[in-house]
Amino acid sequence: MNVLVWLAAILFILMVLIGGKKGVRSFVALFLNFGVLLLTIIIMTVPNVNPIILTLIACTLISCINLFYINEVNRKTKTAFISTMITIVILLFFIVIVTEKSMFQGFGEEEIEEISVFSLYIGVDFTKIGASMIIMSAIGSIVDVAISIASSMSEIRNHNPFISRKDLFTSGLGIGRDILGTDTNTLFFAFFGSYLGLLIWFKDLSYSFGEIVNSKVFSAEMINILCAGIGVAIIIPITAWITAYFLVKTRDK
């Protein structure tokens, strides 16, 4: 417990020194996001609750916290929020189809031994839970890309007030292409970092490459990464177009 307190204190001090008031808001936002996730998980276990709708509500709250609470309500955060919501809805329909076709929901055989003493008849739809899990793991990257593009395009418009909508959109796409590679790699290495122990376990169990790739645990995480990467790719043109439209429209008025 002391380690957690010290690490949290160090993080808070660094965020205050570097980010100032926005750093304080960012630190508080961590706990707000955690509260939203915890409340979502608790409600998700209630029978007859639709996890998809609950996930949409949770994503909306998380987006509001990360955009409006940290960066305040302004032109950049409004366009980033609209772009995020459109992307989440598109991605959610796609992910529901993927989860139903791939049937990766539930637990793999590597996890069964640890939970064998518990009852799995908990009255929830694991297909929808799987789709919700992917969306919740992707929302952070999606919001991050949206605000990065919207903020950069706003700065471009401020330095070049008479830029055309087409040129501004093209600039947004160029910014997005630079972000795309780093963000997808971040998702990829986050998986290997969190599942390094599992990969070592595969090695100790003498799993072949084919057995690793076809194991439910590995496949579920790779589907998670690929779907999150698709979400990051989709939001780039959406944010670029919406931001270019609103910035030029505001200038013309």
Side-chain angles (χ1 to χ4, degrees):
M1 186 64 182
N2 289 334
V3 175
L4 294 177
V5 173
W6 276 106
L7 288 176
I10 293 171
L11 176 62
F12 177 73
I13 292 170
L14 290 174
M15 293 180 79
V16 171
L17 291 176
I18 297 173
K21 292 182 179 180
K22 188 171 288 188
V24 176
R25 290 198 196 101
S26 300
F27 185 80
V28 175
L30 292 174
F31 295 94
L32 294 177
N33 288 329
F34 177 75
V36 171
L37 291 174
L38 184 62
L39 184 62
T40 302
I41 293 171
I42 293 173
I43 299 176
M44 201 173 284
T45 57
V46 177
N48 301 322
V49 172
N50 192 325
I52 302 298
I53 296 176
L54 187 61
T55 301
L56 281 175
I57 296 172
C59 287
T60 303
L61 292 175
I62 292 171
S63 299
C64 289
I65 292 170
N66 291 339
L67 293 173
F68 299 135
Y69 176 71
I70 296 177
N71 299 290
E72 300 179 349
V73 180
N74 52 52
R75 193 166 47 201
K76 296 178 289 187
T77 53
K78 288 179 181 178
T79 54
F81 178 77
I82 294 171
S83 304
T84 300
M85 289 297 99
I86 293 173
T87 304
I88 288 296
V89 172
I90 295 173
L91 189 62
L92 193 55
F93 280 111
F94 173 76
I95 288 174
V96 169
I97 296 172
V98 170
T99 51
E100 289 179 352
K101 296 296 182 182
S102 61
M103 299 181 67
F104 76 90
Q105 69 274 5
F107 301 97
E109 60 182 14
E110 294 83 7
E111 301 167 304
I112 291 298
E113 183 178 349
E114 299 176 5
I115 61 173
S116 58
V117 296
F118 301 104
S119 173
L120 300 181
Y121 297 99
I122 58 177
V124 297
D125 190 337
F126 275 97
T127 302
K128 293 179 180 179
I129 294 291
S132 300
M133 178 188 69
I134 296 176
I135 287 293
M136 297 300 285
S137 62
I139 182 65
S141 298
I142 291 173
V143 171
D144 179 53
V145 171
I147 190 62
S148 297
I149 295 176
S151 180
S152 301
M153 291 177 67
S154 181
E155 288 299 317
I156 292 173
R157 212 274 300 184
N158 289 338
H159 287 85
N160 189 1
F162 300 102
I163 188 172
S164 67
R165 182 174 295 164
K166 181 180 178 181
D167 290 339
L168 189 58
F169 173 72
T170 304
S171 299
L173 286 180
I175 296 166
R177 291 189 189 102
D178 293 335
I179 297 173
L180 180 62
T182 55
D183 251 66
T184 49
N185 276 305
T186 299
L187 295 170
F188 179 76
F189 287 116
F191 159 71
F192 275 98
S194 60
Y195 275 83
L196 186 59
L198 177 65
L199 297 174
I200 294 173
W201 190 20
F202 284 152
K203 174 66 171 56
D204 290 339
L205 294 175
S206 300
Y207 273 37
S208 66
F209 179 76
E211 289 173 325
I212 293 175
V213 173
N214 287 287
S215 65
K216 178 176 282 190
V217 177
F218 185 85
S219 298
E221 287 303 318
M222 288 306 299
I223 290 173
N224 196 335
I225 294 170
L226 294 173
C227 289
I230 290 171
V232 170
I234 290 174
I235 199 170
I236 290 172
I238 292 176
T239 306
W241 187 87
I242 291 176
T243 305
Y245 176 80
F246 279 106
L247 288 178
V248 174
K249 184 178 180 180
T250 303
R251 180 195 65 192
D252 293 342
K253 285 183 178 180

